[in-house]
Amino acid sequence: QVQLVESGGGSVQPGGSLRLSCTAFGYASGSLRMGWFRQAPGKEREGVAGFDSAGSINYADSVKGRFTISKDNSKNTLYLQMNSLKPEDTAMYYCAATWRYGGMWPPLLRNTYNYWGQGTQVTVSS
């Protein structure tokens, strides 16, 4: 059973930066595909950034140019560098993982993922 542990959330002023981390535990080998989602109060969970089946990065339009997703396979860790943060970025951020590959499993679709972290809160406010 894959377990995902996130860290790095917090409170920051508009224009500030945060870096989220997510480490995957509980599997011996294989190419686990991972991504980031977020959910604001009263809204649906939405995809923020992830890797498609060919390894290309996809970003939500709302974060392009400000957020950067990366991974360190040697540490089984996924990162999300968030710069130029805005109040509308305030949300619970979730790490997600899946063994599914192929065009029918796009990286920003919630149903693509089998495993979810507990979430880490990001608050952007002056």
Side-chain angles (χ1 to χ4, degrees), residues 2-32:
V2 176
Q3 292 181 313
L4 305 174
V5 179
E6 299 123 330
S7 62
S11 295
V12 65
Q13 292 185 340
S17 298
L18 285 173
R19 188 175 84 153
L20 307 183
S21 300
C22 172
T23 301
F25 299 92
Y27 68 105
S29 63
S31 297
L32 197 62

Side-chain angles (χ1 to χ4, degrees), residues 106-123:
L108 300 185
L109 178 68
R110 182 175 180 174
N111 287 347
T112 291
Y113 298 89
N114 314 93
Y115 307 102
W116 294 86
Q118 80 285 357
T120 185
Q121 178 67 37
V122 171
T123 302

Side-chain angles (χ1 to χ4, degrees), residues 38 40 43 46 62 66 85-91 93 124:
R38 67 185 181 186
K43 293 188 176 181
E46 63 173 357
S62 58
R66 301 187 298 121
L85 282 160
K86 304 175 181 180
E88 50 264 45
D89 295 317
T90 295
Y93 282 71
V124 184

